[in-house]
Every structure is written in C-alpha cells, then in structure tokens.
Amino acid sequence: MKLTGKQQLFLSFMLFSMFFGAGNLIFPAFLGRAAGADVWIGMLGFILSAVGLPILGVAAVAGVGGLDALGERISSSFSLIFMFIIYISIGPLMAIPRAATVAFEMGAKPFLPSFPEGTALLIYSILFFAAVLWLSLSPSKLVDRFGKLLTPLLLLLLGAVFVKSLLTPLGGAAEASEAYTTGTFFKGFLDGYLTMDL
C-alpha cells in the first residue's frame, strides 16, 4: 500500500509520540548538565542509542513485514516466545508502571503537596490508565489521535520549553560530573539506552 505524503507525516508523528517519552525529555537535560563542556560528545552517544538504533530497528522490522516475520526466520516457536518476552518485559514490567509514575511525579505531585502521596498516585494512575485505555480501544484511530492531535501539541510544548531555556538559562556550563569525565560518549550511549526506545 502506497502512503500519501500527508499519511506519511501523520504516521511519522505517531511514531515520534510513541518513542518520545519521559526519558527522552529528562535524560538529555541531565546529560547536558552532567557532561559539562563535553556535552556534544555525550549527546552523540545518546542520539545513537536513543534515536539512531531505534529507527534502524523500526526499519528492519518494517522491511521484513513485521516482528513475527522477523522471528519466524529462526522458527515460529522462537517468534512467539521472543515477542511474548519483549512485550511482557517492556510493557507490564517496565514501561507501563514508569509511564504513570513519571507523569505523576512531573505533572501532578507538585500541585498536591498536602495530599497523601500513595493515595494521590493511586487516583492519578486510575485516571491516567483510563485515558490510555480510551485512546487505545480503537487502534485504527491511533494515527489520527496521536499523529494529528497529540504529537503537534507535544511539539508545541517542547518548542516552548526550548525557547524558554534559551531566553532564561539556568546558568553556564558546569564542570563535568565524575561519571562523565572519562568515557563521555559511552555514558551518553548508556543514557540513551535507558530511554527504553531501543
């Protein structure tokens, strides 16, 4: 099936919003602060593992016709077990809990100082996952919802944060922290890997 330019744009937006998570927002700022003057070397490692390799992964899976087709090159049972392990480890064991807790810590907790944290997190998680469920119930509408609505909004907010940081920076370049004094590229690579995109 040949996609139009508009469809490709919205599909690209959906992929961006699918990969761009809290780690992609937090780790680069942390890396920039911690790497000091070697920030560009650290960022190269970060971009390689957080952007470059995930794009190559998507291209590889798309090129063979899907993750199941890729796994079936070894065997159909390997394909099934491999996909099960990936989905379980990335979903319920890591990404799903992290999605709710990071959103809570950054978006709700600062505004709820007198509310018991455990109760607030529980209520927030229920509302958060109810919204996620509503967005996910119609897979055919994901491109429309994410590509046309949420990603452009996300890009506008990121642009506002970027402009704000340029106009009112927090300070100049600091000394590199101990973790970034040697092997800055590889430390950045590991930070990119921690985004879980790869």
Side-chain angles (χ1 to χ4, degrees):
M1 176 174 85
K2 180 78 171 151
L3 298 175
T4 66
K6 188 176 179 181
Q7 288 172 323
Q8 287 179 7
L9 177 69
F10 291 139
L11 188 60
S12 300
F13 277 176
M14 186 196 73
L15 275 173
F16 174 80
S17 68
M18 186 176 81
F19 278 110
F20 189 87
N24 301 95
L25 188 61
I26 295 167
F27 288 130
F30 175 78
L31 186 150
R33 191 75 173 153
D38 291 335
V39 65
W40 297 113
I41 297 169
M43 278 298 168
L44 282 174
F46 182 89
I47 290 169
L48 177 63
S49 62
V51 180
L53 293 176
I55 288 173
L56 288 176
V58 169
V61 170
V64 298
L67 191 57
D68 54 341
L70 183 64
E72 285 181 6
R73 289 182 168 201
I74 296 172
S75 77
S76 57
S77 58
F78 171 81
S79 176
L80 182 65
I81 293 168
F82 179 65
M83 286 192 298
F84 177 78
I85 290 170
I86 286 176
Y87 287 128
I88 290 297
S89 61
I90 290 175
L93 296 180
M94 292 181 187
I96 291 173
R98 187 171 93 164
T101 55
V102 170
F104 172 76
E105 289 288 328
M106 295 181 72
K109 186 178 176 182
F111 304 106
L112 304 169
S114 60
F115 213 79
E117 187 173 338
T119 307
L121 178 59
L122 177 64
I123 293 169
Y124 183 87
S125 296
I126 291 169
L127 295 173
F128 178 86
F129 287 119
V132 169
L133 178 64
W134 176 77
L135 287 169
S136 307
L137 282 176
S138 304
S140 61
K141 295 181 180 178
L142 282 178
V143 172
D144 289 338
R145 289 178 178 157
F146 285 91
K148 293 180 181 176
L149 177 67
L150 293 176
T151 304
L153 181 62
L154 173 65
L155 290 173
L156 281 173
L157 291 172
L158 288 174
V161 168
F162 179 73
V163 169
K164 170 82 167 99
S165 69
L166 287 178
L167 296 177
T168 57
L170 292 176
E175 288 289 319
S177 68
E178 187 177 338
Y180 289 89
T181 53
T182 58
T184 308
F185 176 84
F186 296 107
K187 182 65 174 128
F189 185 90
L190 289 174
D191 286 347
Y193 182 77
L194 291 174
T195 65
M196 293 176 43
D197 292 339
L198 184 56

